[in-house]
Amino acid sequence: MTSILKTIGSVVSSRGLDKPTYEVLSSEKNYEYRKYEAAKWVSTAVKGMEHEKARSVGFQRLFQYISGENKAETKVEMTAPVSTKIEPGAGPNCESTFTVSFYIPPEHQENPPQPKNPNVFIEDRPGFEAYVRSFGGFANEESWVNEAQKLSEDLKEKTSEIRQDFWYSAGYNSPFQLFGRTNEIWFMKK
């Protein structure tokens, strides 16, 4: 019964979902500077021109994995956020690489079920530090880019400290959650 209630609750909000552990090192008006612990994530890479389409394809692959499409045929609890690493293509009309990831919950961190799908892999993310901008609402292609641009402007004095070859978007909520939504942009410190 508890599992059913947790599942229903996670559909409506992200409360009760496991999330990666981090410490806020400093907090500014428009962003936080965080230190994340090393953790395992289940990931899949999708080539494409549009963030939302690539994220949708990646999400479906990962949802199948947590629904039992893994070598152990084990169901894995949903977590938050769904992170997407964006590696821009070489030019304006080139495909970008979007690596969509789910944090692996603590009970599977030591030994996560291995994926059956060859396009899905277990990623060992080392600990990292990131500048994080949070924003609400339903994120779309335009809002992800606009919020990343705002964070870039806030950090213009720190440009030399930030990775320029990729950035992350992170969404915390089910599409069924109408209010209190949380989205984030992560810029990684070198």
Side-chain angles (χ1 to χ4, degrees):
M1 185 66 143
T2 304
S3 181
I4 292 170
L5 294 176
K6 186 174 180 181
T7 301
I8 292 169
S10 70
V11 167
V12 178
S13 80
S14 64
R15 281 192 285 266
L17 297 182
D18 288 315
K19 298 174 182 75
T21 304
Y22 67 85
E23 173 187 357
V24 176
L25 300 176
S26 67
S27 186
E28 302 297 328
K29 180 180 174 186
N30 298 320
Y31 65 89
E32 290 182 340
Y33 179 49
R34 298 178 185 169
K35 181 177 186 174
Y36 284 82
E37 292 183 8
K40 290 183 174 74
W41 296 66
V42 61
S43 303
T44 186
V46 179
K47 292 258 188 200
M49 299 292 285
E50 297 177 38
H51 180 272
E52 291 307 303
K53 283 184 181 178
R55 189 166 175 227
S56 179
V57 169
F59 183 93
Q60 289 306 316
R61 287 181 193 163
L62 299 176
F63 190 77
Q64 289 172 347
Y65 167 85
I66 68 169
S67 297
E69 188 183 293
N70 53 64
K71 291 182 180 173
E73 297 183 354
T74 300
K75 291 194 178 193
V76 178
E77 293 289 334
M78 184 66 195
T79 59
V82 175
S83 78
T84 304
K85 180 180 183 182
I86 298 108
E87 297 174 85
N93 295 317
C94 295
E95 288 184 324
S96 295
T97 301
F98 300 90
T99 304
V100 184
S101 305
F102 291 177
Y103 169 70
I104 294 178
E107 63 269 20
H108 295 289
Q109 276 289 314
E110 290 277 326
N111 189 24
Q114 293 304 301
K116 283 184 183 177
N117 184 333
N119 294 313
V120 175
F121 58 94
I122 302 300
E123 179 184 356
D124 262 315
R125 273 192 204 168
F128 63 90
E129 294 178 10
Y131 295 96
V132 178
R133 179 181 179 84
S134 298
F135 63 100
F138 280 90
N140 59 30
E141 203 80 29
E142 185 179 349
S143 61
W144 289 120
V145 172
N146 286 343
E147 295 298 330
Q149 181 62 39
K150 289 176 186 175
L151 182 57
S152 181
E153 289 168 12
D154 288 337
L155 297 172
K156 63 184 170 201
E157 302 297 322
K158 300 180 187 304
T159 302
S160 63
E161 299 176 23
I162 299 168
R163 296 285 305 255
Q164 301 295 313
D165 50 337
F166 66 88
W167 56 283
Y168 283 87
S169 66
Y172 284 81
N173 312 99
S174 155
F176 303 108
Q177 183 176 341
L178 301 178
F179 305 104
R181 298 182 63 80
T182 301
N183 309 290
E184 294 176 341
I185 301 295
W186 300 349
F187 284 178
M188 304 308 220
K189 185 169 183 191
K190 288 181 181 173

